[in-house]
Amino acid sequence: MNNAYLSLGSNIGDRLEHLQHAVQLLNEHSSINVLQVSSVYETEPVGLTEQAKFLNVVVRLETTLEATELLSACQSIENKLGRMRKIRWGPRTVDLDILLYNEEHIQLENLIIPHLRMQERAFVLVPLVEINEDVKNPTTGTLYREELAIKEDGVNLWKKVGQVEEFLRKG
């Protein structure tokens, strides 16, 4: 069984509903089991800053899928939920990024793990450390919570979450 962490973000339409639907679709996949969902955080956009704020979560899952198959499953969910890739770092209904996959280092044309810029992004590190404060950067061996200590600005708790089922509950 493989363990992975994904970052999910949305800034178009009903942001929370898009995130909930994406987590539900992940969990309904026959080869994926979502184990944890972080609280929901609201953040300013990165890159293209003239757009709406994002809601972000991190999920921990186990899967029998290989990393490239997990990437395909994530992209399928993005497409199903209306993700359009017109502008780099532009607005999106939902974005699913694989942050970590086991403790592997993967460098392919379409997939880099650990995620290339995750240690620079508090909107990734805050929810990641929330669900596992002992997770380490597989490249450096550094705890992500240590990297986070200087990067928490601009990440605001939007909704506290305790369990996957609680996250998926509407209303």
Side-chain angles (χ1 to χ4, degrees), residues 16 20 36-42 55-57 126-127 129-131 156-169 171:
L16 180 59
Q20 289 171 320
Q36 286 180 282
V37 179
S38 73
S39 295
V40 183
Y41 294 88
E42 186 173 56
L55 289 185
N56 299 95
V57 298
V126 169
V129 169
E130 176 192 324
I131 60 177
N156 300 302
L157 180 64
W158 191 81
K159 179 182 179 182
K160 185 75 175 156
V161 175
Q163 302 290 325
V164 174
E165 297 77 20
E166 179 184 345
F167 178 76
L168 294 174
R169 196 172 309 127

mmCIF file of all heavy atoms in Angstrom, residues 16 20 36-42 55-57 126-127 129-131 156-169 171:
data_model
loop_
_atom_site.group_PDB
_atom_site.id
_atom_site.type_symbol
_atom_site.label_atom_id
_atom_site.label_comp_id
_atom_site.label_asym_id
_atom_site.label_seq_id
_atom_site.Cartn_x
_atom_site.Cartn_y
_atom_site.Cartn_z
ATOM 1 N N LEU A 16 -15.848 25.551 -1.320
ATOM 2 C CA LEU A 16 -15.909 24.419 -0.395
ATOM 3 C C LEU A 16 -16.561 23.213 -1.052
ATOM 4 O O LEU A 16 -16.078 22.084 -0.918
ATOM 5 C CB LEU A 16 -16.656 24.798 0.885
ATOM 6 C CG LEU A 16 -16.773 23.686 1.930
ATOM 7 C CD1 LEU A 16 -15.400 23.194 2.377
ATOM 8 C CD2 LEU A 16 -17.600 24.157 3.121
ATOM 9 N N GLN A 20 -15.011 19.511 -1.438
ATOM 10 C CA GLN A 20 -15.721 18.341 -0.901
ATOM 11 C C GLN A 20 -15.969 17.312 -2.000
ATOM 12 O O GLN A 20 -15.777 16.110 -1.785
ATOM 13 C CB GLN A 20 -17.057 18.771 -0.286
ATOM 14 C CG GLN A 20 -16.905 19.542 1.003
ATOM 15 C CD GLN A 20 -18.217 20.146 1.470
ATOM 16 O OE1 GLN A 20 -19.009 20.650 0.670
ATOM 17 N NE2 GLN A 20 -18.443 20.100 2.772
ATOM 18 N N GLN A 36 -7.327 11.132 5.969
ATOM 19 C CA GLN A 36 -7.433 12.381 6.723
ATOM 20 C C GLN A 36 -7.634 13.549 5.780
ATOM 21 O O GLN A 36 -7.129 13.536 4.652
ATOM 22 C CB GLN A 36 -6.157 12.666 7.521
ATOM 23 C CG GLN A 36 -5.954 11.814 8.737
ATOM 24 C CD GLN A 36 -4.658 12.191 9.430
ATOM 25 O OE1 GLN A 36 -3.594 11.797 8.968
ATOM 26 N NE2 GLN A 36 -4.763 12.948 10.520
ATOM 27 N N VAL A 37 -8.359 14.556 6.286
ATOM 28 C CA VAL A 37 -8.505 15.828 5.583
ATOM 29 C C VAL A 37 -8.181 16.920 6.592
ATOM 30 O O VAL A 37 -8.679 16.897 7.717
ATOM 31 C CB VAL A 37 -9.945 16.042 5.050
ATOM 32 C CG1 VAL A 37 -10.062 17.390 4.337
ATOM 33 C CG2 VAL A 37 -10.350 14.922 4.119
ATOM 34 N N SER A 38 -7.354 17.863 6.192
ATOM 35 C CA SER A 38 -7.022 18.980 7.074
ATOM 36 C C SER A 38 -8.221 19.917 7.213
ATOM 37 O O SER A 38 -9.216 19.785 6.489
ATOM 38 C CB SER A 38 -5.846 19.775 6.501
ATOM 39 O OG SER A 38 -6.261 20.529 5.370
ATOM 40 N N SER A 39 -8.096 20.862 8.105
ATOM 41 C CA SER A 39 -9.053 21.961 8.145
ATOM 42 C C SER A 39 -8.940 22.741 6.840
ATOM 43 O O SER A 39 -7.998 22.558 6.070
ATOM 44 C CB SER A 39 -8.742 22.883 9.330
ATOM 45 O OG SER A 39 -8.926 22.184 10.545
ATOM 46 N N VAL A 40 -9.903 23.610 6.598
ATOM 47 C CA VAL A 40 -9.938 24.411 5.373
ATOM 48 C C VAL A 40 -9.297 25.762 5.672
ATOM 49 O O VAL A 40 -9.623 26.408 6.666
ATOM 50 C CB VAL A 40 -11.386 24.610 4.882
ATOM 51 C CG1 VAL A 40 -11.408 25.377 3.570
ATOM 52 C CG2 VAL A 40 -12.103 23.265 4.743
ATOM 53 N N TYR A 41 -8.399 26.178 4.798
ATOM 54 C CA TYR A 41 -7.693 27.446 4.960
ATOM 55 C C TYR A 41 -7.971 28.342 3.767
ATOM 56 O O TYR A 41 -8.053 27.880 2.627
ATOM 57 C CB TYR A 41 -6.188 27.205 5.083
ATOM 58 C CG TYR A 41 -5.837 26.462 6.346
ATOM 59 C CD1 TYR A 41 -5.827 25.075 6.376
ATOM 60 C CD2 TYR A 41 -5.564 27.153 7.518
ATOM 61 C CE1 TYR A 41 -5.539 24.389 7.548
ATOM 62 C CE2 TYR A 41 -5.274 26.475 8.698
ATOM 63 C CZ TYR A 41 -5.258 25.096 8.700
ATOM 64 O OH TYR A 41 -4.982 24.415 9.852
ATOM 65 N N GLU A 42 -8.116 29.633 4.033
ATOM 66 C CA GLU A 42 -8.310 30.613 2.970
ATOM 67 C C GLU A 42 -7.009 31.375 2.775
ATOM 68 O O GLU A 42 -6.390 31.821 3.741
ATOM 69 C CB GLU A 42 -9.441 31.582 3.312
ATOM 70 C CG GLU A 42 -9.765 32.513 2.155
ATOM 71 C CD GLU A 42 -10.991 33.353 2.413
ATOM 72 O OE1 GLU A 42 -11.007 34.072 3.451
ATOM 73 O OE2 GLU A 42 -11.916 33.309 1.587
ATOM 74 N N LEU A 55 -9.586 28.529 -1.254
ATOM 75 C CA LEU A 55 -9.728 27.634 -0.124
ATOM 76 C C LEU A 55 -8.807 26.461 -0.404
ATOM 77 O O LEU A 55 -8.741 25.968 -1.544
ATOM 78 C CB LEU A 55 -11.168 27.135 0.045
ATOM 79 C CG LEU A 55 -12.198 28.146 0.530
ATOM 80 C CD1 LEU A 55 -13.543 27.457 0.769
ATOM 81 C CD2 LEU A 55 -11.740 28.898 1.773
ATOM 82 N N ASN A 56 -8.071 26.009 0.634
ATOM 83 C CA ASN A 56 -7.093 24.938 0.481
ATOM 84 C C ASN A 56 -7.247 23.903 1.579
ATOM 85 O O ASN A 56 -7.554 24.247 2.725
ATOM 86 C CB ASN A 56 -5.663 25.489 0.563
ATOM 87 C CG ASN A 56 -5.367 26.498 -0.513
ATOM 88 O OD1 ASN A 56 -5.497 27.691 -0.295
ATOM 89 N ND2 ASN A 56 -4.970 26.022 -1.666
ATOM 90 N N VAL A 57 -7.019 22.644 1.235
ATOM 91 C CA VAL A 57 -6.924 21.543 2.193
ATOM 92 C C VAL A 57 -5.791 20.623 1.750
ATOM 93 O O VAL A 57 -5.361 20.668 0.594
ATOM 94 C CB VAL A 57 -8.231 20.710 2.314
ATOM 95 C CG1 VAL A 57 -9.383 21.547 2.816
ATOM 96 C CG2 VAL A 57 -8.579 20.018 1.014
ATOM 97 N N VAL A 126 0.928 24.533 6.084
ATOM 98 C CA VAL A 126 0.071 24.645 7.270
ATOM 99 C C VAL A 126 -0.891 23.452 7.367
ATOM 100 O O VAL A 126 -0.921 22.771 8.398
ATOM 101 C CB VAL A 126 -0.676 25.997 7.310
ATOM 102 C CG1 VAL A 126 -1.756 26.004 8.383
ATOM 103 C CG2 VAL A 126 0.306 27.146 7.538
ATOM 104 N N PRO A 127 -1.685 23.162 6.323
ATOM 105 C CA PRO A 127 -2.573 21.993 6.445
ATOM 106 C C PRO A 127 -1.830 20.659 6.480
ATOM 107 O O PRO A 127 -2.282 19.713 7.133
ATOM 108 C CB PRO A 127 -3.503 22.103 5.233
ATOM 109 C CG PRO A 127 -2.861 23.056 4.302
ATOM 110 C CD PRO A 127 -1.953 23.925 5.099
ATOM 111 N N VAL A 129 1.144 20.032 7.910
ATOM 112 C CA VAL A 129 1.647 19.860 9.276
ATOM 113 C C VAL A 129 0.496 19.648 10.258
ATOM 114 O O VAL A 129 0.642 18.925 11.247
ATOM 115 C CB VAL A 129 2.542 21.059 9.667
ATOM 116 C CG1 VAL A 129 2.863 21.066 11.145
ATOM 117 C CG2 VAL A 129 3.828 21.036 8.835
ATOM 118 N N GLU A 130 -0.676 20.225 9.956
ATOM 119 C CA GLU A 130 -1.836 20.000 10.822
ATOM 120 C C GLU A 130 -2.183 18.520 10.906
ATOM 121 O O GLU A 130 -2.485 18.007 11.976
ATOM 122 C CB GLU A 130 -3.051 20.778 10.309
ATOM 123 C CG GLU A 130 -4.311 20.490 11.117
ATOM 124 C CD GLU A 130 -5.577 21.006 10.468
ATOM 125 O OE1 GLU A 130 -5.544 22.081 9.845
ATOM 126 O OE2 GLU A 130 -6.609 20.311 10.576
ATOM 127 N N ILE A 131 -2.144 17.819 9.775
ATOM 128 C CA ILE A 131 -2.547 16.412 9.796
ATOM 129 C C ILE A 131 -1.392 15.458 10.118
ATOM 130 O O ILE A 131 -1.638 14.318 10.478
ATOM 131 C CB ILE A 131 -3.300 15.972 8.519
ATOM 132 C CG1 ILE A 131 -2.462 16.134 7.270
ATOM 133 C CG2 ILE A 131 -4.606 16.715 8.397
ATOM 134 C CD1 ILE A 131 -3.139 15.634 6.010
ATOM 135 N N ASN A 156 -5.172 31.642 6.579
ATOM 136 C CA ASN A 156 -6.177 31.856 7.615
ATOM 137 C C ASN A 156 -7.111 30.653 7.723
ATOM 138 O O ASN A 156 -7.655 30.208 6.715
ATOM 139 C CB ASN A 156 -6.988 33.108 7.303
ATOM 140 C CG ASN A 156 -6.101 34.333 7.227
ATOM 141 O OD1 ASN A 156 -5.408 34.656 8.173
ATOM 142 N ND2 ASN A 156 -6.087 34.984 6.075
ATOM 143 N N LEU A 157 -7.291 30.163 8.953
ATOM 144 C CA LEU A 157 -8.223 29.068 9.179
ATOM 145 C C LEU A 157 -9.612 29.520 8.759
ATOM 146 O O LEU A 157 -10.092 30.549 9.195
ATOM 147 C CB LEU A 157 -8.223 28.655 10.657
ATOM 148 C CG LEU A 157 -9.162 27.508 11.026
ATOM 149 C CD1 LEU A 157 -8.757 26.227 10.324
ATOM 150 C CD2 LEU A 157 -9.164 27.311 12.542
ATOM 151 N N TRP A 158 -10.263 28.754 7.896
ATOM 152 C CA TRP A 158 -11.577 29.099 7.372
ATOM 153 C C TRP A 158 -12.646 28.202 7.977
ATOM 154 O O TRP A 158 -13.734 28.626 8.273
ATOM 155 C CB TRP A 158 -11.551 28.984 5.847
ATOM 156 C CG TRP A 158 -12.725 29.545 5.138
ATOM 157 C CD1 TRP A 158 -12.946 30.862 4.836
ATOM 158 C CD2 TRP A 158 -13.839 28.821 4.612
ATOM 159 N NE1 TRP A 158 -14.132 30.988 4.159
ATOM 160 C CE2 TRP A 158 -14.701 29.753 4.010
ATOM 161 C CE3 TRP A 158 -14.193 27.472 4.595
ATOM 162 C CZ2 TRP A 158 -15.884 29.387 3.393
ATOM 163 C CZ3 TRP A 158 -15.368 27.102 3.982
ATOM 164 C CH2 TRP A 158 -16.203 28.061 3.391
ATOM 165 N N LYS A 159 -12.304 26.903 8.159
ATOM 166 C CA LYS A 159 -13.229 25.939 8.750
ATOM 167 C C LYS A 159 -12.430 24.803 9.366
ATOM 168 O O LYS A 159 -11.640 24.162 8.696
ATOM 169 C CB LYS A 159 -14.179 25.375 7.685
ATOM 170 C CG LYS A 159 -15.167 24.351 8.229
ATOM 171 C CD LYS A 159 -16.064 23.788 7.144
ATOM 172 C CE LYS A 159 -17.011 22.765 7.744
ATOM 173 N NZ LYS A 159 -17.862 22.142 6.751
ATOM 174 N N LYS A 160 -12.632 24.580 10.647
ATOM 175 C CA LYS A 160 -11.951 23.490 11.348
ATOM 176 C C LYS A 160 -12.613 22.165 10.978
ATOM 177 O O LYS A 160 -13.837 22.068 10.925
ATOM 178 C CB LYS A 160 -12.041 23.723 12.862
ATOM 179 C CG LYS A 160 -11.279 22.723 13.680
ATOM 180 C CD LYS A 160 -9.798 22.983 13.625
ATOM 181 C CE LYS A 160 -9.058 22.026 14.553
ATOM 182 N NZ LYS A 160 -7.696 21.837 14.160
ATOM 183 N N VAL A 161 -11.796 21.152 10.710
ATOM 184 C CA VAL A 161 -12.304 19.837 10.315
ATOM 185 C C VAL A 161 -11.662 18.792 11.218
ATOM 186 O O VAL A 161 -10.471 18.869 11.513
ATOM 187 C CB VAL A 161 -11.967 19.530 8.837
ATOM 188 C CG1 VAL A 161 -12.385 18.125 8.459
ATOM 189 C CG2 VAL A 161 -12.619 20.549 7.922
ATOM 190 N N GLY A 162 -12.457 17.795 11.620
ATOM 191 C CA GLY A 162 -11.940 16.735 12.472
ATOM 192 C C GLY A 162 -11.787 15.402 11.755
ATOM 193 O O GLY A 162 -10.799 14.709 11.918
ATOM 194 N N GLN A 163 -12.762 15.024 10.949
ATOM 195 C CA GLN A 163 -12.773 13.725 10.278
ATOM 196 C C GLN A 163 -13.148 13.898 8.807
ATOM 197 O O GLN A 163 -13.756 14.890 8.437
ATOM 198 C CB GLN A 163 -13.817 12.795 10.932
ATOM 199 C CG GLN A 163 -13.600 12.547 12.409
ATOM 200 C CD GLN A 163 -12.374 11.689 12.671
ATOM 201 O OE1 GLN A 163 -12.067 10.785 11.893
ATOM 202 N NE2 GLN A 163 -11.679 11.965 13.749
ATOM 203 N N VAL A 164 -12.807 12.911 7.988
ATOM 204 C CA VAL A 164 -13.150 12.950 6.567
ATOM 205 C C VAL A 164 -14.660 13.104 6.402
ATOM 206 O O VAL A 164 -15.133 13.928 5.625
ATOM 207 C CB VAL A 164 -12.641 11.683 5.837
ATOM 208 C CG1 VAL A 164 -13.129 11.665 4.397
ATOM 209 C CG2 VAL A 164 -11.133 11.589 5.906
ATOM 210 N N GLU A 165 -15.433 12.328 7.166
ATOM 211 C CA GLU A 165 -16.904 12.371 7.060
ATOM 212 C C GLU A 165 -17.428 13.761 7.405
ATOM 213 O O GLU A 165 -18.375 14.258 6.795
ATOM 214 C CB GLU A 165 -17.544 11.329 7.975
ATOM 215 C CG GLU A 165 -17.211 9.896 7.636
ATOM 216 C CD GLU A 165 -15.811 9.463 8.092
ATOM 217 O OE1 GLU A 165 -15.219 10.117 8.983
ATOM 218 O OE2 GLU A 165 -15.304 8.482 7.536
ATOM 219 N N GLU A 166 -16.825 14.390 8.397
ATOM 220 C CA GLU A 166 -17.229 15.753 8.789
ATOM 221 C C GLU A 166 -16.955 16.731 7.651
ATOM 222 O O GLU A 166 -17.757 17.609 7.364
ATOM 223 C CB GLU A 166 -16.464 16.175 10.046
ATOM 224 C CG GLU A 166 -16.786 17.581 10.509
ATOM 225 C CD GLU A 166 -15.945 17.995 11.701
ATOM 226 O OE1 GLU A 166 -15.310 17.135 12.352
ATOM 227 O OE2 GLU A 166 -15.907 19.206 11.971
ATOM 228 N N PHE A 167 -15.821 16.570 6.987
ATOM 229 C CA PHE A 167 -15.482 17.435 5.865
ATOM 230 C C PHE A 167 -16.474 17.293 4.726
ATOM 231 O O PHE A 167 -16.883 18.277 4.109
ATOM 232 C CB PHE A 167 -14.073 17.127 5.346
ATOM 233 C CG PHE A 167 -13.687 17.950 4.145
ATOM 234 C CD1 PHE A 167 -13.339 19.282 4.291
ATOM 235 C CD2 PHE A 167 -13.721 17.408 2.873
ATOM 236 C CE1 PHE A 167 -13.001 20.045 3.182
ATOM 237 C CE2 PHE A 167 -13.379 18.150 1.768
ATOM 238 C CZ PHE A 167 -13.015 19.483 1.920
ATOM 239 N N LEU A 168 -16.906 16.070 4.464
ATOM 240 C CA LEU A 168 -17.792 15.813 3.334
ATOM 241 C C LEU A 168 -19.238 16.204 3.618
ATOM 242 O O LEU A 168 -20.034 16.330 2.692
ATOM 243 C CB LEU A 168 -17.724 14.334 2.931
ATOM 244 C CG LEU A 168 -16.385 13.889 2.368
ATOM 245 C CD1 LEU A 168 -16.371 12.392 2.129
ATOM 246 C CD2 LEU A 168 -16.041 14.648 1.096
ATOM 247 N N ARG A 169 -19.601 16.412 4.884
ATOM 248 C CA ARG A 169 -20.962 16.768 5.251
ATOM 249 C C ARG A 169 -21.304 18.148 4.711
ATOM 250 O O ARG A 169 -20.558 19.101 4.892
ATOM 251 C CB ARG A 169 -21.104 16.762 6.786
ATOM 252 C CG ARG A 169 -22.534 16.737 7.260
ATOM 253 C CD ARG A 169 -22.624 16.537 8.770
ATOM 254 N NE ARG A 169 -21.837 15.392 9.234
ATOM 255 C CZ ARG A 169 -20.928 15.463 10.203
ATOM 256 N NH1 ARG A 169 -20.704 16.578 10.842
ATOM 257 N NH2 ARG A 169 -20.252 14.394 10.558
ATOM 258 N N GLY A 171 -23.417 21.682 4.430
ATOM 259 C CA GLY A 171 -24.132 22.605 5.334
ATOM 260 C C GLY A 171 -23.455 22.972 6.550
ATOM 261 O O GLY A 171 -22.557 22.821 7.138
#
